[in-house]
Amino acid sequence: WQSIPLLDNNEPLIAIGRGTDYEDIVTSAVYAGEHLHSPYRDDNVIDVADAIIYVRCSVADRLKKAQSLLPTGMKLIVFDGYRSVEVQRALFDQFLDELRIIKPDWSEAQLVEETEHYVALPSTDVSCPSPHSTGGAVDVAIIQDNRMIEFGTPFDHGSERSALRYFEDETHVLNKADELASEHRRLLSHVMH
């Protein structure tokens, strides 16, 4: 993303979720600790995170369209949209700090490079912001009966298993849960595209 120059189209950020024009889209502000299974609850809540999820207008419209393509009984759930630079920095630093504990023998460069596989480097450069700092990126899943369907990892899981195409490699599909995760990731990819 750092090599893609951006020009602001001045499209406004809007709120999505309950009490908005997009209230059919379920939101759960994970970084503000709203999500029940958030790793950012209690002591890990990111103080500067907003409980309201904002996205660009065109993103909200696309989310609404994607949701209309889901099978009956399923809905999108948006955990995150626009992030301030402060939130992006807090997420980056938190992942980096946890990685330092897990990999104490790694150099700082190795730690930063690995962190960037899961959390974008915060950027204050208006011509090259972090993707979430544009309001054009979302963290999204599918729920059914108010529960996230099987995706193979919990939200914000930082490992190779969280890569979108992980279960496309047949050697990674070891059981029924992995098969479901593969099917559900394909479904989410399909409706989002």
Side-chain angles (χ1 to χ4, degrees):
W1 62 268
Q2 293 161 322
S3 63
I4 302 171
L6 298 179
L7 296 173
D8 190 349
N9 66 1
N10 296 312
E11 184 180 332
L13 290 172
I14 61 166
I16 59 172
R18 188 172 296 171
T20 73
D21 291 340
Y22 296 89
E23 64 185 1
D24 286 346
I25 298 171
V26 177
T27 61
S28 185
V30 69
Y31 301 123
E34 180 181 38
H35 186 64
L36 291 178
H37 303 290
S38 171
Y40 304 96
R41 289 179 65 80
D42 303 323
D43 294 340
N44 286 330
V45 169
I46 296 178
D47 293 335
V48 290
D50 200 330
I52 299 169
I53 295 178
Y54 295 94
V55 296
R56 297 285 181 148
C57 286
S58 61
V59 173
D61 290 338
R62 288 179 178 126
L63 288 168
K64 193 173 187 175
K65 173 67 175 168
Q67 182 157 282
S68 75
L69 300 172
L70 286 170
T72 302
M74 291 185 172
K75 292 188 128 200
L76 292 179
I77 183 167
V78 180
F79 297 117
D80 188 29
Y82 165 78
R83 289 181 198 154
S84 67
V85 173
E86 294 80 14
V87 170
Q88 190 66 35
R89 169 59 62 197
L91 288 171
F92 189 87
D93 290 348
Q94 187 170 351
F95 194 97
L96 185 62
D97 290 344
E98 289 172 11
L99 198 56
R100 279 189 185 108
I101 294 167
I102 296 167
K103 304 287 186 181
D105 55 327
W106 282 17
S107 71
E108 189 65 15
Q110 287 173 303
L111 293 167
V112 168
E113 182 180 343
E114 183 68 11
T115 299
E116 286 188 70
H117 289 180
Y118 304 102
V119 184
L121 188 66
S123 173
T124 56
D125 181 350
V126 294
S127 67
C128 190
S130 305
H132 273 282
S133 296
T134 69
V138 291
D139 291 343
V140 62
I142 300 171
I143 58 171
Q144 186 172 30
D145 300 323
N146 291 320
R147 296 177 59 99
M148 192 167 89
I149 61 175
E150 180 64 56
F151 282 100
T153 64
F155 174 76
D156 248 9
H157 181 74
S159 81
E160 66 280 351
R161 286 181 62 90
S162 62
L164 176 64
R165 298 187 50 80
Y166 180 82
F167 293 108
E168 294 302 312
D169 180 338
E170 291 178 10
T171 64
H172 295 153
V173 180
L174 305 176
N175 54 45
K176 184 64 175 166
D178 292 348
E179 288 176 23
L180 278 174
S182 178
E183 290 173 22
H184 293 158
R185 287 181 185 199
R186 286 178 187 165
L187 174 62
L188 181 59
S189 179
H190 172 74
V191 300
M192 293 299 284
H193 279 100

